[in-house]
Amino acid sequence: TDDNATAMIPMGTSFHYYWSDYSSLVIGSNGWLSFNPISNVAHCFPVIPTAGGAGDNILAPFMSDLIMNAPGSSAQVYYYNDVASQQFIVSYINCPWWSATVPGYVGSNTFQVILSNVDSSITFQYQTTDPASFNNTPGCAADLEIGIENITCNIGLELFNDALPASGSAYKFYFPA
């Protein structure tokens, strides 16, 4: 639904993220994942990194004010444990932004997160992003935040703040040696 998250979802494997291993995660309707059992990260979003708050231990492939249950919207989120490739994949498909005007949503974005156990890498892929419908609200630290943040929220990598990645692009975080 809107501004919501799943319960902890078992990934079927353990994934190494920063200094810990995790076997389950939460999928947020606003385009984020977390290895902590948090229930919501909503608009205005914290920048990465920001210590404290709900956005701890988070992956933000497209953390924005998305809506999943607007009547007439075809938004969907899927997850898949690809045992053969040792990957856990989360796909957000045709996800629009929330809008205060009827019909309650605007635009469409399709993106994906791939967690690879082979090399502990994280890939954000963007099939389509809709810059024409993005609403950059004055006074918000972040209407759209893309990056990763550790469990203590004092270490993170911010790729984008209030800017969209291009359709057809991908970004990969490699685990350091």
Side-chain angles (χ1 to χ4, degrees), residues 139-164:
C140 264
D143 290 292
L144 173 66
E145 188 69 5
I146 297 174
I148 62 174
E149 187 174 272
N150 76 339
I151 194 167
T152 61
C153 305
N154 61 346
I155 297 173
L157 296 170
E158 179 186 67
L159 292 179
F160 293 93
N161 175 284
D162 289 343
L164 278 75

mmCIF file of all heavy atoms in Angstrom, residues 139-164:
data_model
loop_
_atom_site.group_PDB
_atom_site.id
_atom_site.type_symbol
_atom_site.label_atom_id
_atom_site.label_comp_id
_atom_site.label_asym_id
_atom_site.label_seq_id
_atom_site.Cartn_x
_atom_site.Cartn_y
_atom_site.Cartn_z
ATOM 1 N N GLY A 139 12.105 22.584 0.459
ATOM 2 C CA GLY A 139 12.130 22.346 1.898
ATOM 3 C C GLY A 139 12.390 20.910 2.299
ATOM 4 O O GLY A 139 12.643 20.632 3.464
ATOM 5 N N CYS A 140 12.310 19.978 1.347
ATOM 6 C CA CYS A 140 12.603 18.566 1.642
ATOM 7 C C CYS A 140 14.094 18.316 1.445
ATOM 8 O O CYS A 140 14.657 18.722 0.435
ATOM 9 C CB CYS A 140 11.845 17.643 0.695
ATOM 10 S SG CYS A 140 10.307 17.032 1.353
ATOM 11 N N ALA A 141 14.707 17.605 2.392
ATOM 12 C CA ALA A 141 16.116 17.228 2.221
ATOM 13 C C ALA A 141 16.261 16.292 1.032
ATOM 14 O O ALA A 141 17.233 16.355 0.301
ATOM 15 C CB ALA A 141 16.641 16.568 3.485
ATOM 16 N N ALA A 142 15.257 15.422 0.853
ATOM 17 C CA ALA A 142 15.290 14.483 -0.271
ATOM 18 C C ALA A 142 13.882 14.038 -0.644
ATOM 19 O O ALA A 142 13.189 13.429 0.160
ATOM 20 C CB ALA A 142 16.143 13.268 0.074
ATOM 21 N N ASP A 143 13.479 14.360 -1.866
ATOM 22 C CA ASP A 143 12.258 13.794 -2.438
ATOM 23 C C ASP A 143 12.577 12.470 -3.112
ATOM 24 O O ASP A 143 11.707 11.634 -3.303
ATOM 25 C CB ASP A 143 11.650 14.740 -3.477
ATOM 26 C CG ASP A 143 11.079 15.991 -2.835
ATOM 27 O OD1 ASP A 143 10.073 15.864 -2.117
ATOM 28 O OD2 ASP A 143 11.645 17.072 -3.042
ATOM 29 N N LEU A 144 13.834 12.305 -3.515
ATOM 30 C CA LEU A 144 14.327 11.065 -4.120
ATOM 31 C C LEU A 144 15.757 10.867 -3.637
ATOM 32 O O LEU A 144 16.602 11.746 -3.802
ATOM 33 C CB LEU A 144 14.306 11.143 -5.648
ATOM 34 C CG LEU A 144 14.954 9.986 -6.400
ATOM 35 C CD1 LEU A 144 14.190 8.680 -6.177
ATOM 36 C CD2 LEU A 144 15.039 10.285 -7.879
ATOM 37 N N GLU A 145 15.995 9.729 -3.017
ATOM 38 C CA GLU A 145 17.327 9.413 -2.494
ATOM 39 C C GLU A 145 17.727 8.036 -2.995
ATOM 40 O O GLU A 145 16.942 7.082 -2.915
ATOM 41 C CB GLU A 145 17.306 9.445 -0.956
ATOM 42 C CG GLU A 145 18.637 9.333 -0.308
ATOM 43 C CD GLU A 145 19.528 10.550 -0.504
ATOM 44 O OE1 GLU A 145 19.109 11.576 -1.072
ATOM 45 O OE2 GLU A 145 20.696 10.462 -0.085
ATOM 46 N N ILE A 146 18.949 7.937 -3.531
ATOM 47 C CA ILE A 146 19.461 6.674 -4.055
ATOM 48 C C ILE A 146 20.841 6.431 -3.469
ATOM 49 O O ILE A 146 21.731 7.276 -3.591
ATOM 50 C CB ILE A 146 19.499 6.680 -5.594
ATOM 51 C CG1 ILE A 146 18.080 6.827 -6.146
ATOM 52 C CG2 ILE A 146 20.178 5.419 -6.128
ATOM 53 C CD1 ILE A 146 17.985 6.990 -7.641
ATOM 54 N N GLY A 147 20.987 5.277 -2.786
ATOM 55 C CA GLY A 147 22.265 4.939 -2.190
ATOM 56 C C GLY A 147 22.138 3.792 -1.203
ATOM 57 O O GLY A 147 21.116 3.114 -1.148
ATOM 58 N N ILE A 148 23.194 3.593 -0.413
ATOM 59 C CA ILE A 148 23.206 2.548 0.613
ATOM 60 C C ILE A 148 23.740 3.144 1.913
ATOM 61 O O ILE A 148 24.515 4.103 1.894
ATOM 62 C CB ILE A 148 24.052 1.320 0.200
ATOM 63 C CG1 ILE A 148 25.514 1.682 -0.018
ATOM 64 C CG2 ILE A 148 23.463 0.671 -1.048
ATOM 65 C CD1 ILE A 148 26.425 0.484 -0.282
ATOM 66 N N GLU A 149 23.299 2.557 3.052
ATOM 67 C CA GLU A 149 23.709 3.058 4.355
ATOM 68 C C GLU A 149 23.859 1.899 5.327
ATOM 69 O O GLU A 149 23.038 0.981 5.323
ATOM 70 C CB GLU A 149 22.656 4.046 4.859
ATOM 71 C CG GLU A 149 23.023 4.763 6.122
ATOM 72 C CD GLU A 149 21.988 5.821 6.457
ATOM 73 O OE1 GLU A 149 22.119 6.961 5.978
ATOM 74 O OE2 GLU A 149 21.041 5.494 7.194
ATOM 75 N N ASN A 150 24.884 1.965 6.190
ATOM 76 C CA ASN A 150 25.148 0.871 7.120
ATOM 77 C C ASN A 150 24.219 0.896 8.335
ATOM 78 O O ASN A 150 23.376 1.788 8.465
ATOM 79 C CB ASN A 150 26.620 0.867 7.543
ATOM 80 C CG ASN A 150 26.949 1.945 8.559
ATOM 81 O OD1 ASN A 150 26.244 2.938 8.701
ATOM 82 N ND2 ASN A 150 28.040 1.758 9.270
ATOM 83 N N ILE A 151 24.410 -0.066 9.226
ATOM 84 C CA ILE A 151 23.519 -0.243 10.381
ATOM 85 C C ILE A 151 23.594 0.914 11.376
ATOM 86 O O ILE A 151 22.616 1.217 12.044
ATOM 87 C CB ILE A 151 23.783 -1.597 11.074
ATOM 88 C CG1 ILE A 151 22.656 -1.947 12.029
ATOM 89 C CG2 ILE A 151 25.142 -1.614 11.747
ATOM 90 C CD1 ILE A 151 22.673 -3.369 12.514
ATOM 91 N N THR A 152 24.742 1.578 11.482
ATOM 92 C CA THR A 152 24.857 2.697 12.417
ATOM 93 C C THR A 152 24.518 4.036 11.761
ATOM 94 O O THR A 152 24.499 5.061 12.427
ATOM 95 C CB THR A 152 26.289 2.782 13.008
ATOM 96 O OG1 THR A 152 27.208 2.994 11.937
ATOM 97 C CG2 THR A 152 26.637 1.526 13.783
ATOM 98 N N CYS A 153 24.287 4.027 10.481
ATOM 99 C CA CYS A 153 23.880 5.211 9.706
ATOM 100 C C CYS A 153 24.947 6.298 9.632
ATOM 101 O O CYS A 153 24.643 7.428 9.281
ATOM 102 C CB CYS A 153 22.593 5.803 10.250
ATOM 103 S SG CYS A 153 21.255 4.629 10.331
ATOM 104 N N ASN A 154 26.164 5.955 9.960
ATOM 105 C CA ASN A 154 27.210 6.965 9.857
ATOM 106 C C ASN A 154 28.113 6.730 8.646
ATOM 107 O O ASN A 154 28.978 7.534 8.357
ATOM 108 C CB ASN A 154 28.047 7.017 11.138
ATOM 109 C CG ASN A 154 28.747 5.698 11.422
ATOM 110 O OD1 ASN A 154 28.431 4.679 10.827
ATOM 111 N ND2 ASN A 154 29.686 5.715 12.349
ATOM 112 N N ILE A 155 27.879 5.625 7.936
ATOM 113 C CA ILE A 155 28.629 5.316 6.726
ATOM 114 C C ILE A 155 27.623 4.992 5.629
ATOM 115 O O ILE A 155 26.671 4.231 5.842
ATOM 116 C CB ILE A 155 29.578 4.121 6.938
ATOM 117 C CG1 ILE A 155 30.625 4.460 8.000
ATOM 118 C CG2 ILE A 155 30.250 3.725 5.632
ATOM 119 C CD1 ILE A 155 31.486 3.296 8.402
ATOM 120 N N GLY A 156 27.829 5.569 4.468
ATOM 121 C CA GLY A 156 26.943 5.291 3.357
ATOM 122 C C GLY A 156 27.481 5.886 2.075
ATOM 123 O O GLY A 156 28.437 6.662 2.084
ATOM 124 N N LEU A 157 26.864 5.502 0.982
ATOM 125 C CA LEU A 157 27.213 6.028 -0.328
ATOM 126 C C LEU A 157 25.941 6.573 -0.974
ATOM 127 O O LEU A 157 24.988 5.829 -1.197
ATOM 128 C CB LEU A 157 27.811 4.930 -1.210
ATOM 129 C CG LEU A 157 29.131 4.330 -0.742
ATOM 130 C CD1 LEU A 157 29.473 3.095 -1.564
ATOM 131 C CD2 LEU A 157 30.235 5.359 -0.838
ATOM 132 N N GLU A 158 25.927 7.855 -1.252
ATOM 133 C CA GLU A 158 24.786 8.489 -1.908
ATOM 134 C C GLU A 158 25.107 8.645 -3.391
ATOM 135 O O GLU A 158 26.094 9.286 -3.748
ATOM 136 C CB GLU A 158 24.509 9.853 -1.284
ATOM 137 C CG GLU A 158 23.349 10.586 -1.934
ATOM 138 C CD GLU A 158 23.191 11.985 -1.385
ATOM 139 O OE1 GLU A 158 24.096 12.826 -1.624
ATOM 140 O OE2 GLU A 158 22.179 12.231 -0.716
ATOM 141 N N LEU A 159 24.273 8.040 -4.236
ATOM 142 C CA LEU A 159 24.448 8.181 -5.686
ATOM 143 C C LEU A 159 23.695 9.380 -6.230
ATOM 144 O O LEU A 159 24.206 10.116 -7.069
ATOM 145 C CB LEU A 159 23.965 6.928 -6.416
ATOM 146 C CG LEU A 159 24.750 5.647 -6.218
ATOM 147 C CD1 LEU A 159 24.107 4.517 -6.992
ATOM 148 C CD2 LEU A 159 26.185 5.835 -6.660
ATOM 149 N N PHE A 160 22.443 9.537 -5.792
ATOM 150 C CA PHE A 160 21.590 10.616 -6.294
ATOM 151 C C PHE A 160 20.779 11.209 -5.153
ATOM 152 O O PHE A 160 20.308 10.488 -4.281
ATOM 153 C CB PHE A 160 20.594 10.092 -7.350
ATOM 154 C CG PHE A 160 21.221 9.640 -8.627
ATOM 155 C CD1 PHE A 160 21.571 8.313 -8.805
ATOM 156 C CD2 PHE A 160 21.448 10.529 -9.664
ATOM 157 C CE1 PHE A 160 22.138 7.871 -9.999
ATOM 158 C CE2 PHE A 160 22.019 10.104 -10.854
ATOM 159 C CZ PHE A 160 22.363 8.771 -11.019
ATOM 160 N N ASN A 161 20.606 12.524 -5.181
ATOM 161 C CA ASN A 161 19.715 13.230 -4.276
ATOM 162 C C ASN A 161 18.890 14.177 -5.131
ATOM 163 O O ASN A 161 19.433 15.097 -5.745
ATOM 164 C CB ASN A 161 20.506 14.009 -3.215
ATOM 165 C CG ASN A 161 19.597 14.854 -2.344
ATOM 166 O OD1 ASN A 161 19.129 15.905 -2.775
ATOM 167 N ND2 ASN A 161 19.338 14.393 -1.146
ATOM 168 N N ASP A 162 17.592 13.909 -5.198
ATOM 169 C CA ASP A 162 16.649 14.716 -5.980
ATOM 170 C C ASP A 162 17.019 14.803 -7.454
ATOM 171 O O ASP A 162 16.778 15.813 -8.119
ATOM 172 C CB ASP A 162 16.480 16.111 -5.379
ATOM 173 C CG ASP A 162 15.704 16.063 -4.067
ATOM 174 O OD1 ASP A 162 15.043 15.037 -3.808
ATOM 175 O OD2 ASP A 162 15.747 17.043 -3.313
ATOM 176 N N ALA A 163 17.633 13.755 -7.956
ATOM 177 C CA ALA A 163 17.935 13.615 -9.380
ATOM 178 C C ALA A 163 17.695 12.157 -9.753
ATOM 179 O O ALA A 163 17.969 11.265 -8.955
ATOM 180 C CB ALA A 163 19.374 14.008 -9.672
ATOM 181 N N LEU A 164 17.178 11.932 -10.945
ATOM 182 C CA LEU A 164 16.852 10.572 -11.374
ATOM 183 C C LEU A 164 17.966 9.968 -12.205
ATOM 184 O O LEU A 164 18.548 10.656 -13.042
ATOM 185 C CB LEU A 164 15.574 10.579 -12.227
ATOM 186 C CG LEU A 164 14.255 10.596 -11.475
ATOM 187 C CD1 LEU A 164 13.975 11.953 -10.891
ATOM 188 C CD2 LEU A 164 13.146 10.177 -12.392
#
